[in-house]
Amino acid sequence: MKRRDFLKNTVSAAILPTFMNGFAVKAFGSSSLLSALESASADNDHVLVMIQLVGGNDGLNMVVPIDLYDKYQAIRPNIAIPQGKLLPLVNNVKTGIHPAMTGVQQLYEEGKVCIIQSVGYPSPNYSHFRATDIWVSGSDANEIVETGWGGRYLDTQYPGYPDGYPNDDNPDPLAIQIGSIVSPAFQGANTNTGIAISSATDFYNLLDDVVDPVPNTHAGVELAYVRLIAKQTNKFSDSIKKAAQNVTSQSEYPDTQLGRQLKIVARLVAGGLKTRMYMVSMGFFDTHASQTQGGDNTTGYHAELLKELSEGIKAFMDDLTKLKASRRVVGMTFSEFGRRIKSNSSMGTDHGAAAPMIVFGDYVQQGVLGTSPDIPDSGSVADNTPMQYDFRSVYASLLEQWFCVDNTTLQSILFKDYQRLPIVSGIACGTITGIDDVNNGSKGLITNYPNPFVDTTTLKYKTRGGHTMIQIFDTMGRLVGVPVNNMMAGGEYTAVFDSKKLAAGIYYARLQNGVFQEVRSMLKVKV
């Protein structure tokens, strides 16, 4: 390949010769999502930090249903966390969290954590790669989308990127990923907006302008040339270096993969970098076996992972508070899927559907959104946690409530108008949000009779008016019917669910009406 062609094809993802504390760092230019942030309000310097739990986190052992504890213990007797060891959540008697998560518990007590139950999407995919692609693209399970939910906004707000960037108005990278793989979440329709900082040297080499020597060979000459071009094309490195140098002292972090990554993020945020979005990750959540340690289910591999997650988040928030930058940040966890309800014989869990997400920050509304996931009396290995909230509703809520993005722009980013959830205080965008009654207002909204049933059952439901939808899922999370999907006046209604073509078993009817939702379990039996 000619040098000119090489530069043409790699300029938007050039590699800078450095690591930050041993981690490769990807700096993404203007993203579609991030453009919304810039245009929403002149003084909006809010930051979103995403923590990816790679492998599929077992949400049922992370956030444990105390109100359904007998069923929980019966369906996973070899890995269930003892009820007496669960960490309580203030003002919430139905939910406890894993005993390794004391840091998250403390942040919850300080009013800085929101737990969102049973987050997923219809007809989930159980492949790690495809499921991850769905989450970062924000697509439906049955469609392939080549862009990310951030990159799509870039195409409408920053045509012609990367020409003209950085500039006086946008001197900093607008998104940074710490890790070895550039996230497709920031892929635009025409180009990847990422530039990569990646080398075997330490972060301080960047600060001290230290460059590894190259060999006096033909390959060494070529390497020196690539480094020169990288330095010329990756102008964002100067702003990253300047921000890092503005912070000379930080709080103590755990010496873990996540702790080291979050320490870098805190340094750049507190150093004044105007980057809007950060992505960090931790792996090994694919706990098919040895999830807990024999004899003590509060210990083991999953407990170590949750401890690393909890301690990392707590240290990160403590550091930001000390550096007087915590009010700029909201963070969230996500994983490509959850695990099955029933444990396997290897003291582990297999690929599942919905799982809880944790959102944290000074402006986050304290609480547990949703109810404890339904657990069948006699479960099988095919049983999954039924979805209560679509993951794109979380994206839409954060975009609207944290980044102050308008509804029209939201629909262009996410393709649809998704349900909004009460996650961030309205103060963040200067608005008022009535969110305190969300869980209280979502009880008794949907019933069915008869139950059990043979072929048909009548769904009786209430709506407060507006868009009202009922989805029917099987235990694999597959969407098998949508009997209601209309704009409606407030009142009580009925609809018939015809299951003649479906096998006997458990089904879930999910009602969604504005911010309210409820899931109802139904049982189809043979004649």
Side-chain angles (χ1 to χ4, degrees), residues 51-64 76 79 97-98 100-101 104 115-120 126 128 131-132 135 282-288 291 301-310 313 332-341 348-358 384-385:
I51 304 176
Q52 183 177 6
L53 311 180
V54 180
N57 177 45
D58 180 18
L60 200 56
N61 262 25
M62 181 176 77
V63 180
V64 180
R76 42 173 61 193
I79 66 168
I97 60 176
H98 194 285
M101 303 186 71
V104 168
I115 296 172
I116 309 170
Q117 292 273 29
S118 306
V119 183
Y126 299 108
H128 291 290
T132 299
W135 273 80
M282 54 183 296
F284 308 109
F285 280 88
D286 197 17
T287 53
H288 288 281
Q291 182 171 314
Y301 199 49
H302 193 234
E304 294 172 1
L305 290 169
L306 294 181
K307 180 181 179 182
E308 178 178 344
L309 174 65
S310 178
I313 292 174
M332 76 175 198
T333 67
F334 76 99
S335 192
E336 65 265 36
F337 44 63
R339 317 296 291 186
R340 298 291 170 91
I341 294 177
T349 49
D350 300 320
H351 296 184
M357 295 176 65
I358 297 174
N384 278 283
T385 299

Side-chain angles (χ1 to χ4, degrees), residues 22 43 104 178 254 261 314 319-320 322 380 392 466 521-522:
D43 59 351
V104 168
I178 302 175
Q261 294 177 74
K314 184 61 164 63
D319 193 24
L320 287 173
K322 179 181 178 181
S380 72
R392 289 157 294 191
S521 63
M522 308 182 297

Side-chain angles (χ1 to χ4, degrees), residues 446-450 456-462 468-472 482-486 488 492-498 509 511 522:
I446 184 169
T447 59
N448 72 297
Y449 61 91
T456 63
T457 186
T458 299
L459 302 166
K460 184 178 180 180
Y461 62 98
K462 301 175 183 177
T468 305
M469 176 172 62
I470 297 178
Q471 301 166 303
I472 310 296
V482 186
V484 177
N485 188 13
N486 297 305
M488 307 178 71
E492 294 189 9
Y493 298 86
T494 60
V496 175
F497 170 51
D498 187 344
L511 171 70
M522 308 182 297

Side-chain angles (χ1 to χ4, degrees), residues 7-66:
L7 296 177
K8 178 181 178 181
N9 292 324
T10 60
V11 63
S12 64
I15 299 174
L16 289 182
T18 190
F19 260 71
M20 284 188 169
N21 291 349
F23 286 94
V25 178
K26 279 72 186 163
F28 301 91
S30 301
S31 88
S32 61
L33 159 66
L34 307 175
S35 301
L37 318 186
E38 293 289 359
S39 61
S41 60
D43 59 351
N44 185 337
D45 64 349
H46 294 169
V47 174
L48 177 65
V49 178
M50 297 178 288
I51 304 176
Q52 183 177 6
L53 311 180
V54 180
N57 177 45
D58 180 18
L60 200 56
N61 262 25
M62 181 176 77
V63 180
V64 180
I66 294 177

Side-chain angles (χ1 to χ4, degrees), residues 390-398 418-421 423 512:
D390 194 299
F391 75 97
R392 289 157 294 191
S393 288
V394 180
Y395 293 170
S397 303
L398 291 173
Y418 285 97
Q419 174 189 26
R420 281 352 163 259
L421 311 177
I423 298 175
Q512 178 183 308

